[in-house]
Amino acid sequence: MSMFILIIDDEPHLPHQIARYLGRHGYEVETVAEGEAGLRIIQQCSVDLVLLDLRLPGLSGLEVLKRIRASEPELPVIMLTAYGDVRSAVEAMKLGASDYLLKGFDLEELLLVVQRALETSAMYRELRQLRRERSDNYHFNYIVGHSERMRQVFEMVARVARSDTASVLITGESGTGKEVVAHAIHEQSPRASGPFQPLNCAAIAHNLLESELFGYEPYAFTDARKQKRGLLELADGGTLFLDEIGEMPLDMQAKLLRVLETRSFFRLGGSKEVRINVRVIAATNRDLQKAMAEGTFRRDLFYRLAVMQINLPPLRERPGDILLFASRFVEDFNKSLGRNVRRISPEAQRLLLAYSWPGNVRELKNVIERAMILSNGDEIQPAHLPQEIVGYSESRQLDACDPWEEWLAGHPEQPLPLERIVERVEQYFIRQALCEAGHNRTRAAELLGMSKVDQLRYLMRKHGIE
């Protein structure tokens, strides 16, 4: 579908000359001589761009611009002005005009300005849509947990969000929710109204990574026919999230370090320095200390990125969170799949708790989605779980001091409220840790990820565990 351009200009010849030229380049163009007539068309039609003369009979160009901005704040407007009206053109830019052209311009120059304005407008619409979709898809209540390590993560996210300039490094195994935490930091920070631009460094070919980050000028290389802004520029005023930063090649690490130090860069093939205000959040599932020792990751970049560092524990180290996550996923998929699953059966709960979850939260989410698709009723049963989970439990001999299987067996049909589930899970894993530690409370607290043995003593008193 062709773009619709409206020209508001009362000169006798220029608007029609522009209309014919733009028409030959595939645009649909209409011309009017008065601001009121142009505003009526904007109200009645889907206009993609306006070429607006500053000097008009009746309403001035600036007044027309103000009314367009009031009703159509995202509609690109290019001002057409005579040489003596440059000051007014600058005022128009402050009011939200996309660009301005001095009359006497070359038609090819006009075409370039029009194309740039339309591309920028389309890009911002797409970014806003993607941001809305990402906001819908990222549920920050999935950052859950009762363990001391997760409470430390919550506190760190809150502190990091308040300081919106320091770089952040998030570490943890694949599937632990690093991008969700990055989103949470962004959404709780003063940059929340700005863009959140993610880039997976492992998913982009090394020879394309530089152009993705920095953008390029026309003819910077063979296929570069027009200017492209990179993610660093698109993230200006917001957050750039670099996932799998450990996969970034060394030459790009050096260039990223320079950006972090100077807050500026050059597009590929460009000579004009671009200054940015961007917060960088990086994430990795690699051991960067080992990578630095092997010479595959720069120490100076590590220290620049890890001003603030957050480590996400794997799901197997916080088993008390498994059923919390599972309940959240059931609620979520009830909405997206149009289901009404009310509970996970006690036997299915036991299987979920016994599994080691090498894929962490991402794997658990996929398992719950699969189970809900297979389930015909209002309950997830063991038959709805993958064989690797069922088989894992069958092959695993539970410890003799394990009360959890016995307790579930005594309540085969009883649906449990979330509070009771969490209480039983806490009891189970406290007893498991005490057994494994030979009832050494300090060692048991370490196994449970608690920084102080007093926390374990409190929970033991709470649950009546001797």
Side-chain angles (χ1 to χ4, degrees), residues 129-175:
Q129 178 62 28
L130 288 172
R131 204 172 299 144
R132 283 193 294 269
E133 290 173 1
R134 283 200 298 266
S135 179
D136 291 340
N137 290 333
Y138 281 91
H139 302 279
F140 301 130
N141 59 357
Y142 287 157
I143 310 177
V144 300
H146 290 286
S147 68
E148 175 62 21
R149 289 182 67 182
M150 284 311 296
R151 280 195 286 270
Q152 291 172 357
V153 169
F154 304 150
E155 292 171 4
M156 182 63 77
V157 166
R159 284 200 298 269
V160 166
R162 288 195 294 269
S163 172
D164 75 331
T165 55
S167 300
V168 185
L169 178 64
I170 306 172
T171 58
E173 294 180 7
S174 180

Side-chain angles (χ1 to χ4, degrees), residues 23 26 120 146 163 167 182 192 213 215 234 242 260 283 286 297 307 352 354 364 377 379 398-399 406 413 423 437 456:
T120 301
H146 290 286
S163 172
S167 300
L213 273 177
L234 295 176
L242 297 175
L260 293 174
R286 288 187 61 190
F297 200 84
V307 175
L352 294 177
L364 176 58
E379 184 177 73
L398 295 176
D399 193 281
E406 180 183 348
E413 302 298 333
E423 180 182 326
L456 176 60

Side-chain angles (χ1 to χ4, degrees), residues 422-464:
V422 172
E423 180 182 326
R424 294 295 179 175
V425 170
E426 284 183 347
Q427 292 177 20
Y428 166 63
F429 285 105
I430 289 171
R431 288 194 172 101
Q432 280 290 94
L434 286 167
C435 283
E436 291 183 25
H439 290 274
N440 181 314
R441 294 183 179 184
T442 301
R443 174 61 182 149
E446 292 175 356
L447 291 173
L448 292 167
M450 297 177 179
S451 60
K452 297 180 180 178
V453 73
D454 289 344
Q455 294 164 342
L456 176 60
R457 292 194 183 103
Y458 165 77
L459 290 174
M460 289 174 67
R461 288 195 300 271
K462 173 184 171 183
H463 296 302

Side-chain angles (χ1 to χ4, degrees), residues 20 35 39 52 76 113 117 122 151 183 195 217 219 234 248 253 260 313-314 324-325 359 378 382-383 405 418 426 459:
R20 286 194 299 271
L39 291 170
L52 175 62
V113 171
R151 280 195 286 270
H183 264 277
E217 297 290 353
Y219 310 110
L234 295 176
M248 182 177 282
Q253 292 178 30
L260 293 174
L324 287 176
F325 274 112
D378 63 354
E405 183 176 22
L418 183 61
E426 284 183 347
L459 290 174

Side-chain angles (χ1 to χ4, degrees), residues 100-358:
Y100 72 92
L101 286 168
L102 292 174
K103 288 189 175 179
F105 51 78
D106 184 274
L107 288 176
E108 290 185 359
E109 179 189 3
L110 168 70
L111 180 62
L112 289 174
V113 171
V114 165
Q115 289 173 338
R116 184 169 61 233
L118 288 171
E119 287 169 2
T120 301
S121 177
M123 178 184 64
Y124 280 128
R125 284 197 302 271
E126 183 179 351
L127 287 173
R128 279 187 288 272
Q129 178 62 28
L130 288 172
R131 204 172 299 144
R132 283 193 294 269
E133 290 173 1
R134 283 200 298 266
S135 179
D136 291 340
N137 290 333
Y138 281 91
H139 302 279
F140 301 130
N141 59 357
Y142 287 157
I143 310 177
V144 300
H146 290 286
S147 68
E148 175 62 21
R149 289 182 67 182
M150 284 311 296
R151 280 195 286 270
Q152 291 172 357
V153 169
F154 304 150
E155 292 171 4
M156 182 63 77
V157 166
R159 284 200 298 269
V160 166
R162 288 195 294 269
S163 172
D164 75 331
T165 55
S167 300
V168 185
L169 178 64
I170 306 172
T171 58
E173 294 180 7
S174 180
T176 50
K178 296 186 288 295
E179 186 165 357
V180 175
V181 170
H183 264 277
I185 293 170
H186 173 76
E187 292 295 332
Q188 295 176 35
S189 77
R191 296 178 178 271
S193 60
F196 180 95
Q197 289 290 338
L199 175 65
N200 188 321
C201 299
I204 302 291
H206 288 180
N207 61 329
L208 298 178
L209 191 56
E210 186 171 7
S211 64
E212 283 295 313
L213 273 177
F214 298 107
Y216 51 78
E217 297 290 353
Y219 310 110
F221 48 87
T222 304
D223 295 326
R225 306 196 183 282
K226 57 186 178 182
Q227 185 191 81
K228 176 186 174 181
R229 299 200 300 169
L231 292 179
L232 278 166
E233 200 169 349
L234 295 176
D236 191 31
T239 302
L240 175 66
F241 175 59
L242 297 175
D243 200 5
E244 304 300 350
I245 189 69
E247 305 303 320
M248 182 177 282
L250 280 169
D251 61 328
M252 279 301 302
Q253 292 178 30
K255 292 173 182 177
L256 176 62
L257 177 63
R258 183 187 179 280
V259 173
L260 293 174
E261 290 175 340
T262 66
R263 300 290 171 180
S264 65
F265 65 94
F266 294 89
R267 298 190 195 102
L268 288 180
S271 57
K272 180 182 178 182
E273 188 176 44
V274 180
R275 300 201 62 81
I276 52 169
N277 173 20
V278 172
R279 180 193 214 160
V280 173
I281 301 178
T284 183
N285 59 14
R286 288 187 61 190
D287 182 348
L288 292 187
Q289 295 291 343
K290 181 180 178 182
M292 287 188 289
E294 294 172 348
T296 58
F297 200 84
R298 295 178 62 106
R299 287 188 179 276
D300 46 8
L301 177 60
F302 173 82
Y303 293 121
R304 175 65 69 173
L305 290 172
V307 175
M308 307 293 284
Q309 189 166 353
I310 299 174
N311 179 256
L312 295 182
L315 194 55
R316 65 180 174 276
E317 292 182 10
R318 45 187 178 121
D321 298 340
I322 291 171
L323 296 183
L324 287 176
F325 274 112
S327 297
R328 299 282 170 86
F329 290 135
V330 168
E331 293 174 12
D332 200 38
F333 287 122
N334 271 333
K335 297 174 184 176
S336 62
L337 298 175
R339 298 300 309 280
N340 189 30
V341 173
R342 297 183 178 180
R343 56 186 169 267
I344 302 171
S345 74
E347 177 62 16
Q349 291 178 21
R350 185 186 69 80
L351 294 172
L352 294 177
L353 288 166
Y355 187 56
S356 63
W357 299 107

Side-chain angles (χ1 to χ4, degrees), residues 6-9 34-35 49-56 59-66 68 77-81 92 97 99-101 103:
L6 175 65
I7 303 174
I8 307 176
D9 192 329
E34 296 181 350
L49 181 139
V50 176
L51 294 172
L52 175 62
D53 190 11
L54 263 173
R55 293 179 178 270
L56 292 171
L59 285 178
S60 71
L62 288 179
E63 185 60 36
V64 173
L65 176 62
K66 290 177 185 177
I68 292 174
V77 179
I78 298 171
M79 306 303 296
L80 306 178
T81 177
D99 210 334
Y100 72 92
L101 286 168
K103 288 189 175 179

